[in-house]
Amino acid sequence: MIIRFIRNYPCVNIEMAHIHLGEGSFPLWALALWTTLGLGLIAIVTYRIRKNGVDPNRIALAGIAAAASFAIFQLNIPVWGGIHMNFTALVGILAGPLLGTIIALVVNVFSAALGHGAIGLLGANTLVNATEAVGAYYGFRWLRRADWDVFPASASAATIGLATGSVLMGAIIVVSGVNGSALPRSELTIAVGGMVGLNLGVAVIEGLLTGFIVRFLASIRPDLIGESTEAERSETAGVSA
Amino acid sequence: MERWKQYGGLLGLLVAFTGVGLWGFTATGGALPYAKRFSKALQRGTHDGGGPLVDLGRGIVVAGPIRQGGMVLEWLGLLALLTIVGIGLYVYADRNGPDDGRRVSR
């Protein structure tokens, strides 16, 4: 009876590049696939952290970033019909790609424990959110190396990182298929495309917000975003002169 | 890079994504809560709809699964725990961490 209920009314609720379908909405092979890929990603990240280590200051920052991400994850704001943000791009820029991936896992585990997201989809959701963090981090570094200012670099990188996560989210749903949906794959793809499109609009809001936060942090503690302070810059210039 | 190019690039990106977002908003039913939007979209396919993009009357609310599941206190507890651990780690690293920011923790 429960299965029939799920099949007739799939408890589908996906917000801001975070899949929280009800348990049983993905076929078993898809659950196994995304869980395996998610575990593989976490294994690689853990290995790299163990091998290369991380700056203790960054670990501390990751703790605070995880709290901020977990808080914003659960708040629904009245824009675009009602959405929540993730701050995964901000987490990626501040904590880096390795810790950003770990934070994505931690936030998803806690959220699923509260009923916000299925436990069976932890692998898929970690993949999606880690993509956002990693994309934003490398995008930000790349734009900064191209001599972009902090605000346009962080806002652009965050928006693109979040958009990449949204596209991955859509791809995961289309590849997996949804139990209970009578739509053929082509129509399902169009419907999911509409949701991905909406998520790009949400990425604009979160991207701008991330840009403002990173710009503010850069003005008071540039070391938090991996940049040198004014004093260090003058010191370096003095040495090299 | 010149500043107008940076901000022009960002503006172009935001305008393009907002346009796509508007299409997605309309095509998936307009001003609907996400759960309803998605169940409709995945069961019946795309269907046009409208409504306000911003609905201040709705306010900022805790996510439905937590609110309806009566888990708000648990959420606040977890949030407090994460915040305390995060700030604790930050203070610890600030007092005992490396001076040059290059030492690594294994």
Side-chain angles (χ1 to χ4, degrees):
Chain A
M1 183 179 168
I2 293 172
I3 294 171
R4 200 168 64 199
F5 176 80
I6 292 170
R7 282 185 168 275
N8 289 341
Y9 304 98
C11 175
V12 180
N13 187 5
I14 302 175
E15 300 176 16
M16 197 49 233
H18 171 234
I19 308 166
H20 41 112
L21 298 162
E23 301 283 5
S25 295
F26 273 5
L28 190 59
W29 67 263
L31 281 190
L33 173 66
W34 306 126
T35 302
T36 305
L37 289 176
L39 280 173
L41 177 67
I42 294 297
I44 291 168
V45 165
T46 309
Y47 173 76
R48 286 195 59 182
I49 288 176
R50 280 188 65 81
K51 192 179 174 204
N52 303 324
V54 283
D55 178 359
N57 286 322
R58 212 145 283 281
I59 295 176
L61 197 59
I64 295 173
S69 179
F70 180 66
I72 202 82
F73 219 80
Q74 322 302 341
L75 291 177
N76 206 297
I77 60 172
V79 184
W80 295 110
I83 46 103
H84 73 75
M85 294 188 284
N86 287 350
F87 274 170
T88 39
L90 178 68
V91 163
I93 290 172
L94 293 181
L98 299 179
L99 290 174
T101 301
I102 299 290
I103 291 172
L105 172 69
V106 168
V107 170
N108 274 302
V109 167
F110 281 137
S111 298
L114 293 176
H116 188 185
I119 291 172
L121 290 175
L122 279 176
N125 278 328
T126 301
L127 285 173
V128 169
N129 294 142
T131 300
E132 296 171 342
V134 172
Y137 173 82
Y138 285 109
F140 180 66
R141 293 285 151 223
W142 183 71
L143 289 173
R144 287 295 285 159
R145 275 199 299 275
D147 210 22
W148 278 46
D149 289 348
V150 171
F151 176 75
S154 52
S156 302
T159 307
I160 291 171
L162 292 166
T164 310
S166 297
V167 171
L168 177 62
M169 178 201 75
I172 286 174
I173 298 168
V174 170
V175 168
S176 306
V178 177
N179 287 337
S181 173
L183 294 177
R185 196 57 63 99
S186 57
E187 285 184 36
L188 180 68
T189 305
I190 295 171
V192 171
M195 291 308 302
V196 171
L198 184 76
N199 277 334
L200 297 192
V202 180
V204 169
I205 300 171
E206 188 166 340
L208 282 172
L209 192 58
T210 302
F212 285 123
I213 294 171
V214 174
R215 175 72 192 84
F216 172 71
L217 288 175
S219 67
I220 55 167
R221 288 286 304 272
D223 56 307
L224 292 183
I225 55 167
E227 306 211 344
S228 54
T229 60
E230 198 64 47
E232 285 167 345
R233 274 196 297 273
S234 338
E235 197 175 294
T236 312
V239 169
S240 59
Chain B
M1 182 182 276
E2 289 174 62
R3 190 165 282 181
W4 72 267
K5 286 182 183 171
Q6 299 172 31
Y7 282 90
L10 174 61
L11 186 66
L13 184 71
L14 299 185
V15 168
F17 279 12
T18 302
V20 179
L22 278 172
W23 166 75
F25 178 78
T26 310
T28 53
L32 291 174
Y34 255 74
K36 194 177 285 184
R37 179 194 302 278
F38 235 88
S39 57
K40 280 190 173 179
L42 291 191
Q43 281 179 332
R44 289 192 269 159
T46 53
H47 53 287
D48 282 357
L53 288 175
V54 180
D55 180 11
L56 293 178
R58 192 167 175 270
I60 297 174
V61 293
V62 177
I66 294 176
R67 197 177 62 247
Q68 289 151 15
M71 304 285 274
V72 174
L73 272 180
E74 286 83 348
W75 170 58
L76 290 173
L78 272 174
L79 185 56
L81 178 71
L82 281 172
T83 307
I84 290 167
V85 170
I87 292 174
L89 279 172
Y90 186 81
V91 171
Y92 177 80
D94 209 38
R95 288 183 182 165
N96 306 297
D99 295 329
D100 58 2
R102 278 177 294 179
R103 195 173 73 190
V104 294
S105 167
R106 292 177 191 273

